Amino acid sequence: MTRHPHHYLLGIALAVVASGASPTFAADPVPTPEDVRFFEMKIRPLLAEKCFKCHGAEKQRGELRLDTAEGVRKGGDSGEPLIAVDKPEKGTLLRAVRHEEGVPAMPPKAKLKDSEIADLAAWVKRGAPFPASVKVSGDTSKHWAFQPVVNSPPPTVKDGTWAKSDLDRFILAKLEAAQLKPAVPADKRTLIRRATFDLIGLPPTPEEIDAFLKDASPDAFATVVDRLLASNAYGERWGRHWLDVARYADSNGLDENTAHGNAWRYRDYVIASFNADKPYDRFLLEQIAGDLLGKDEKKASSFDPVIATGFLALGPKVLAEPDEKKMEFDIVDEQIDTLGKTVMGLTLGCARCHDHKFDPVSTADYYGLAGVFISTKTMETFKKVARWHENSLATPADLKRKADHDAEVAKLKALIKGLTAKTDEPSKVELKKLKAELAELEKKAPELPAAMGVTEGKPTDVPVLRRGNHLTPGEMVARRFPVVIAGAKQAALPNDHSGRLELAKWMTDPKHPLTARVMVNRVWRWHFGQGLVRSVDNFGLLSDKPSHPELLDSLAVEFVQSGWSLKALHRRIMLSATYQMSSTHDAKAAVADPDNRLHWRSNIRRLEAEAIRDSLLAVGGLLDRTAGGPALTHLKNRDYIFDHTSKDKTSYASHCRSVYLPVIRNNLYDVFQLFDAPDASVPNGDRPTTTVPTQSLFFLNSELVASSAGALADQVLSRSEISDDDRVRQVIAMAYGRQATTKEIERLTAAVAVFEKDFATSEADAAKRRRKAWSVVCQTVLASNEFIHIR
């Protein structure tokens, strides 16, 4: 985008202050849940196996102790920093394990594996967090999340006029107990903008806003909600939420970043499932064990249940891992971790190497589940470079087309073989012609449709692996589910199949204490910006306590009773007075409840990356509403993402909705990175919201913003019969969903006049000058905070 002197949308001043030496070790780094998992899975077992014998509780060679955070921070008697977070390569730890000159080689006899050294380097890069082994007092099985869901009656409230539903009574009772009042209702323009972004991820059109303003019926907002839930854009919006926790990606990432050429089928399945309001229990059943459902359940004509198992296959894999058994267990671990966090809000993966440090989940529980997934076929081969399994989606017509083609190929090959036996010149001419025909025919071979997914393997139990190492097996564990929830007296899983179907049915049992709670909490978080339980991916003992436990259970009960209908859950939430509150500030409430945990007002929320991009295209009239299809059209399935020049040639030029753009692990689209899209390698149901200068620079310099602003300018200029005042009104209505103020009209029309005059020196064509001027004004409007925030 070309910049000019009048493009003053923003000014930035950056100052970097450096004085003295930077710290060699981050002071008391606060570990994130992923830091804890990484440490417990990769670092603590490695230190215990390779280091504690000489640098542990009983012996400290060189006065170095590596079994405590204090010992790691202190270092040894050499005086050299063990960990240098600011300059990782300078720290003694990494230099020693790499056996570099100038430091003692550690371990002295046998160098660590490259993968182990890489894990240590990654740990240092994270800030070398060293989580303490927290001791949880009391009976951990009594933790609130492991108890049955209870349908409590709504509380009695003093002000019965405000509440529209039982949901509101649960909220109001807490507010009244804190001597606080709910904010006044949002105005209709604010409400329809909030609801439209919430449900479809796009701004409402001026026509939709006008229709809502004119509808004076008591069901006017319910009509809006029903219209939005019926839109195909709903599935695109809420399907993207689910893809966050399903760690969806169009590439493998890690060491061999190859194309997930058929992953899009799972993405489209998710979107279609949300649009159809597929019962959530069925949705989970298909993703965990869709390939095992009977033909009557599969509805034979649909491949959806088989495609759904892509959920288990989409995780990142070290495809060049030389230890094939380790790769197999690593893939199983990723599946267990994803399933645990996504469906139950439990960090089950933390029990791979030892009993869970916090939750009542033992290594026996972990390997009971591991047996289910070891008995499941996720990979075609573990040989380097490993290949993931794909399920065929070929119809009889597809198979016939392939067979017909193969017959033609075989016929040509037979002719070529016959002619090859002759050595005369006419045969050579004919042979050359037939070989050319064969080459062309083979290029046109029909590609049978397939989808990433799993199928049944050989049913088998696995032993507990000491410290997660398959080379140190322990006691054999029968396949089963975690005892804290399933109980000690579980029915044995069948010997003739994996147990995935039983696992899926257990997780979707209405009596399961976590499944419904976790999902309604996710929906609440995606509507309000924070969950009733803020740690949406962790309901274990380190989770936040629910702000409204009775409300959480009430929502969970009704969710199940509604037939696990997500659309019914949306209606219950959105038609409440709680959802319809304004974001009006209250000084007293802000002091008493600064985080708005009691919901005394609506939170002001910034749009996510996808909604920002889609909104820019939508207001410019550029959004392509074509749905579905392959994301990586320039690559074949399993091709490497990066070419021989180490460049990723993935294009993001399409104007389709963002959910259909490629998600490349290790090289995420820069707009997505800028506005906090998650790491597609791990489940994430709670995207952060950051504010950094480069986000403002995006609105100043991005070609996407410039082209959207230009297209918006073209729209308002196309109406020659209206005044510039009316053009400003139209721009504000399209961008912000409200009426323009008198001051805005005055300032923006004046700006257009100034820009037109200034552009006269560089542009002789008056129409082009006028378009440039309006484009700059439109870009100024799109660059405001109001455009990307929901009140």
Side-chain angles (χ1 to χ4, degrees), residues 6-39:
H6 303 284
H7 208 158
Y8 50 89
L9 302 183
L10 129 98
I12 297 177
L14 297 176
V16 178
V17 180
S19 59
S22 55
T24 58
F25 198 103
D28 298 320
V30 179
T32 66
E34 275 306 311
D35 288 337
V36 173
R37 169 170 162 73
F38 185 81
F39 182 82

Side-chain angles (χ1 to χ4, degrees), residues 729-752:
R729 292 186 180 96
Q730 186 178 352
V731 168
I732 296 297
M734 294 176 72
Y736 302 156
R738 62 167 173 80
Q739 294 177 315
T741 65
T742 301
K743 189 174 184 180
E744 285 172 331
I745 294 171
E746 292 173 353
R747 293 182 67 182
L748 293 179
T749 53
V752 169

Side-chain angles (χ1 to χ4, degrees), residues 561-589:
Q561 290 177 346
S562 72
W564 301 80
S565 168
L566 284 165
K567 289 188 177 181
L569 178 58
H570 288 304
R571 291 187 184 95
R572 182 178 182 190
I573 290 173
M574 298 180 72
L575 298 182
S576 69
T578 301
Y579 179 84
Q580 296 175 36
M581 274 192 281
S582 70
S583 56
T584 303
H585 184 72
D586 182 307
K588 177 185 175 183

Side-chain angles (χ1 to χ4, degrees), residues 477-488:
V477 179
R479 282 167 289 144
R480 61 173 175 78
F481 313 141
V483 170
V484 68
I485 301 171

Side-chain angles (χ1 to χ4, degrees), residues 237-254:
R237 168 66 162 171
W238 281 80
R240 180 59 258 180
H241 285 320
W242 180 259
L243 294 176
D244 278 8
V245 296
R247 53 34 175 146
Y248 174 84
D250 294 292
S251 78
N252 179 64
L254 298 181

Side-chain angles (χ1 to χ4, degrees), residues 464-485:
V464 168
L465 304 183
R466 297 187 184 94
R467 294 174 180 166
N469 188 340
H470 69 89
L471 299 176
T472 56
E475 183 181 352
M476 190 67 67
V477 179
R479 282 167 289 144
R480 61 173 175 78
F481 313 141
V483 170
V484 68
I485 301 171

Side-chain angles (χ1 to χ4, degrees), residues 469-698:
N469 188 340
H470 69 89
L471 299 176
T472 56
E475 183 181 352
M476 190 67 67
V477 179
R479 282 167 289 144
R480 61 173 175 78
F481 313 141
V483 170
V484 68
I485 301 171
K489 296 180 180 179
Q490 302 178 33
L493 292 179
N495 293 323
D496 61 346
H497 59 271
S498 66
R500 268 186 300 121
L501 184 57
E502 289 75 12
L503 173 62
K505 289 180 176 179
W506 171 72
M507 295 180 81
T508 55
D509 187 316
K511 295 180 181 178
H512 197 291
L514 289 166
T515 305
R517 276 177 175 146
V518 167
M519 191 55 185
V520 298
N521 189 62
R522 291 194 186 285
V523 173
W524 188 277
R525 184 261 177 260
W526 288 324
H527 273 304
F528 291 95
Q530 59 181 349
L532 294 169
V533 179
R534 285 188 290 187
S535 54
V536 294
D537 298 320
N538 187 356
F539 272 43
L541 272 80
L542 292 188
S543 66
D544 288 335
K545 292 182 179 179
S547 59
H548 300 74
E550 295 83 6
L551 173 56
L552 178 66
D553 278 12
S554 174
L555 291 170
V557 168
E558 188 160 320
F559 182 41
V560 173
Q561 290 177 346
S562 72
W564 301 80
S565 168
L566 284 165
K567 289 188 177 181
L569 178 58
H570 288 304
R571 291 187 184 95
R572 182 178 182 190
I573 290 173
M574 298 180 72
L575 298 182
S576 69
T578 301
Y579 179 84
Q580 296 175 36
M581 274 192 281
S582 70
S583 56
T584 303
H585 184 72
D586 182 307
K588 177 185 175 183
V591 172
D593 181 25
D595 293 334
N596 195 23
R597 296 294 290 135
L598 299 180
H599 288 279
W600 49 270
R601 69 165 181 166
S602 176
N603 290 318
I604 298 174
R605 292 173 284 134
R606 198 201 69 198
L607 297 175
E608 303 93 341
E610 295 88 346
I612 291 173
R613 176 187 172 276
D614 290 354
S615 296
L616 287 167
L617 294 172
V619 298
L622 301 175
L623 187 63
D624 180 356
R625 301 302 291 272
T626 302
L632 299 174
T633 55
H634 67 299
L635 292 173
K636 292 182 179 179
N637 190 24
R638 306 180 197 271
D639 277 356
Y640 284 88
I641 295 295
F642 296 90
D643 64 15
H644 67 283
T645 64
S646 296
K647 291 183 179 179
D648 178 358
K649 293 187 177 179
T650 305
S651 172
Y652 303 94
S654 169
H655 286 174
C656 66
R657 288 209 68 174
S658 296
V659 70
Y660 300 118
L661 289 180
V663 178
I664 304 300
R665 289 188 178 126
N666 301 354
N667 199 36
L668 194 65
Y669 178 32
D670 54 3
V671 175
F672 290 174
Q673 290 186 59
L674 186 59
F675 291 100
D676 309 306
D679 175 3
S681 297
V682 292
N684 187 337
D686 192 27
R687 291 192 187 189
T689 300
T690 63
T691 302
V692 294
T694 44
Q695 293 167 349
S696 294
L697 290 172
F698 165 80

